[in-house]
Amino acid sequence: MAKENSKIALDIEGYLKEHENKDMLRFLTCGSVDDGKSTLIGRMLYDSKMIFDDQLSAAEGESRKYGTTGEKLDMALLVDGLQSEREQGITIDVAYRFFATEKRKFIIADTPGHEQYTRNMVTGASTADVAIILIDARKGILTQTRRHSFIVNLLGIEHVIVAINKMDLVDFSEEVFDKISGAYGALADELGIKNTYYIPVSALEGDNVVDRSKRSPWFSGQPLLGLLDSMDISKEPKEEDFRFPVQYVNRPNLDFRGFCGTIAAGLVRTGDEITVLPSGKTTKVKNIVNAGDITEKNRETMTEYAYAPMAVTITTEDEVDISRGDMIVHTKNLPRVSNSLKVMLVWMDETPMEPGKTYDIKRATSVVPGFIEHINYKVDINTYEREQVHRLGLNDIASCKMVLTQPIAADAYETNRLTGSFIVVDRISNDTVGAGMIVGVSRREEDVVKLSAKEYTDAERALNLYVRENFPEWECKVI
Ligand SMILES: Nc1nc2c(ncn2[C@@H]2O[C@H](COP(=O)(O)OP(=O)(O)OP(=O)(O)O)[C@@H](O)[C@H]2O)c(=O)[nH]1
């Protein structure tokens, strides 16, 4: 960090500019206890010179006292701050670390790997582009590896780097590396993970982390940091998939009415024909005001086109009724609109999820009450087996049918992570109790669920659940 510090002191503007123009890659590290996750993160921060000098000298002191690595600096202690916070009760669910190389900026989501923290891992994985799965070369694939891979795949992370660690303890054996890579390849195929990369590393001794190791001459791939630096994670924006969840309607005076938000996908031009969902009203884009900046001074700063993830304000040709939570899309490419969705749900609360109970479903900028009508199956994330259950407990993951009190314009998560995901909020405590991904939306008119106007009491719902659990042959419907 000394070099960085002097750059900051001499030319802070230049330093910030240099970072601003780099692209960002977010990744997640997963591993079981003692696989070497902290050591690997510490090594990356240390070798990329992103450790502050005072952190370094503190770690050197502690290394001598508590380290597990003899005279050498214990890299794991560099990230230990996170761990002690974690042990004191999980106030931060996921710890994020930042570092940069000449080419890229990185955000690491460091999530605990134990099953009881599945919800934390889901949170960390939801924004990641790449996952690094650590495997101890002596142990090979463990149950945890299967669990982490399942979640990584569920959350749509397309790039998985398998870091086979502690290679120094198996004499950098090519055979061990090949055996583990082969076994993971089979697992990746089973799950349908698209891109996998395998690297033999020693996080402790720095082999194939930043520099290529002389101890693995048989390995022709790139070291970890080089791979992270050069991976192509860009997705070509498809113009026609324009999705604009309206965040705020800005009406500073009678002459201006703009719809503000962050473009979730695609590209929009002035003059494009647009449809507002769920109402289905159509109009044309009149102006696109840049960067969401709608102050008096900048209201004239228009652009011809804008694309994801820009924050903009859109004005329309006609006075159509648009409010927060609506979605503006291209008329020529409408998403499905329905109140009946097939979802994968991750339950994050101690209190079990009850089918039929009304929760607030927050998706992009919209909040709509809804409930789980039916649990199709729960997945055992260690064995990938499916189970029939009537309620979901903490950390359970299940395929469900969700019904909303109003239709929404919904994309599948696979198509769009932002508009295809939602959180479930308890209407009384306001806690986030679940998170989910839209798997499918029915286009058929008859699948749109007609809701009864009746509000049920807790006692009625409990009785309904009791009957469904104990007398399935009665085929009682969820209320
Ligand atoms: N020989 C060898 N030891 C390693 C290597 N990487 C990590 N270790 C050691 O393995 C032990 C566990 O490493 P950590 O980095 O604390 O592991 P972790 O996965 O972060 O563990 P938790 O934080 O408990 O989940 C420490 O004693 C490390 O020094 C490696 O590549 N080779």
Side-chain angles (χ1 to χ4, degrees), residues 80-346:
D80 245 20
L82 304 177
Q83 258 145 16
S84 51
E85 264 167 283
R86 204 181 280 157
E87 278 151 19
Q88 282 162 22
I90 327 168
T91 37
I92 32 168
D93 279 359
V94 184
Y96 293 96
R97 296 243 134 198
F98 172 84
F99 75 100
T101 60
E102 292 286 312
K103 291 193 194 131
R104 268 193 172 146
K105 291 182 280 197
F106 295 95
I107 291 179
I108 315 174
D110 183 14
T111 58
H114 197 275
E115 191 161 1
Q116 80 193 82
Y117 300 119
T118 297
R119 60 177 169 175
N120 310 49
M121 188 179 159
V122 168
T123 311
S126 62
T127 51
D129 308 301
V130 177
I132 299 181
I133 296 204
L134 260 99
I135 298 181
D136 186 326
R138 297 166 305 171
K139 298 183 188 156
I141 292 176
L142 303 174
T143 312
Q144 284 88 328
T145 322
R146 291 179 64 81
R147 176 163 71 240
H148 298 156
S149 302
F150 179 86
I151 295 169
V152 159
N153 188 52
L154 179 74
L155 273 291
I157 300 178
E158 291 181 2
H159 302 272
V160 173
I161 302 178
V162 182
I164 301 174
N165 191 30
K166 306 199 183 181
M167 284 299 290
D168 53 300
L169 299 179
V170 294
D171 291 329
F172 280 84
S173 155
E174 184 179 5
E175 202 190 325
V176 170
F177 177 77
D178 286 346
K179 207 170 140 212
I180 297 176
S181 312
Y184 193 87
L187 178 65
D189 286 347
E190 186 183 345
L191 285 169
I193 294 174
K194 290 193 183 130
N195 307 302
T196 46
Y197 314 78
Y198 302 91
I199 310 183
V201 298
S202 167
L204 184 68
E205 298 177 3
D207 298 77
N208 294 326
V209 177
V210 174
D211 300 313
R212 181 181 297 281
S213 170
K214 290 198 178 63
R215 300 197 281 181
S216 55
W218 42 265
F219 175 65
S220 55
Q222 295 196 69
L224 182 58
L225 207 58
L227 180 61
L228 287 171
D229 249 351
S230 60
M231 262 174 134
D232 182 12
I233 48 150
S234 61
K235 286 204 182 111
E236 281 297 305
K238 287 199 204 126
E239 278 195 36
E240 66 277 14
D241 289 343
F242 174 61
R243 300 285 186 267
F244 186 67
V246 177
Q247 197 172 355
Y248 173 64
V249 179
N250 187 39
R251 184 149 216 185
N253 55 49
L254 286 178
D255 303 328
F256 187 89
R257 185 157 173 265
F259 307 100
C260 315
T262 301
I263 301 177
L267 183 145
V268 66
R269 296 172 199 276
T270 48
D272 279 358
E273 285 192 18
I274 49 170
T275 298
V276 183
L277 294 172
S279 74
K281 300 258 167 48
T282 56
T283 179
K284 281 186 178 170
V285 175
K286 188 171 167 197
N287 287 313
I288 304 167
V289 187
N290 203 4
D293 183 353
I294 30 71
T295 53
E296 194 72 49
K297 178 163 71 71
N298 286 325
R299 208 164 296 145
E300 305 300 315
T301 325
M302 311 288 182
T303 54
E304 275 301 299
Y305 63 92
Y307 48 87
M310 284 165 75
V312 290
T313 297
I314 288 175
T315 61
T316 53
E317 291 277 354
D318 313 289
E319 278 264 329
V320 279
D321 185 15
I322 303 178
S323 41
R324 178 186 164 85
D326 285 348
M327 178 105 73
I328 299 179
V329 302
H330 277 152
T331 307
K332 60 182 186 228
N333 183 343
L334 299 178
R336 295 172 186 193
V337 178
S338 179
N339 75 337
S340 166
L341 312 172
K342 186 177 170 199
V343 301
M344 280 303 273
L345 184 66
V346 183

Side-chain angles (χ1 to χ4, degrees), residues 1 37-63 66-67 69 72-85 95-98 108 110 203-204:
M1 200 74 191
K37 207 155 59 82
S38 308
T39 310
L40 186 72
I41 297 175
R43 168 65 63 189
M44 281 194 274
L45 298 175
Y46 178 75
D47 284 357
S48 61
K49 317 268 183 300
M50 287 309 280
I51 300 287
F52 291 102
D53 296 341
D54 56 340
Q55 283 175 322
L56 192 59
S57 49
E60 274 163 358
E62 286 184 4
S63 221
Y66 313 109
T69 53
K72 279 183 263 171
L73 173 65
D74 188 346
M75 293 290 164
L77 291 175
L78 292 172
V79 280
D80 245 20
L82 304 177
Q83 258 145 16
S84 51
E85 264 167 283
Y96 293 96
R97 296 243 134 198
F98 172 84
I108 315 174
D110 183 14
L204 184 68

Side-chain angles (χ1 to χ4, degrees), residues 245-246 324-327 361-368 408-409 423:
V246 177
R324 178 186 164 85
D326 285 348
M327 178 105 73
I361 309 299
K362 290 196 181 181
R363 196 285 315 264
T365 55
S366 71
V367 185
V368 179
I408 58 165
I423 57 166

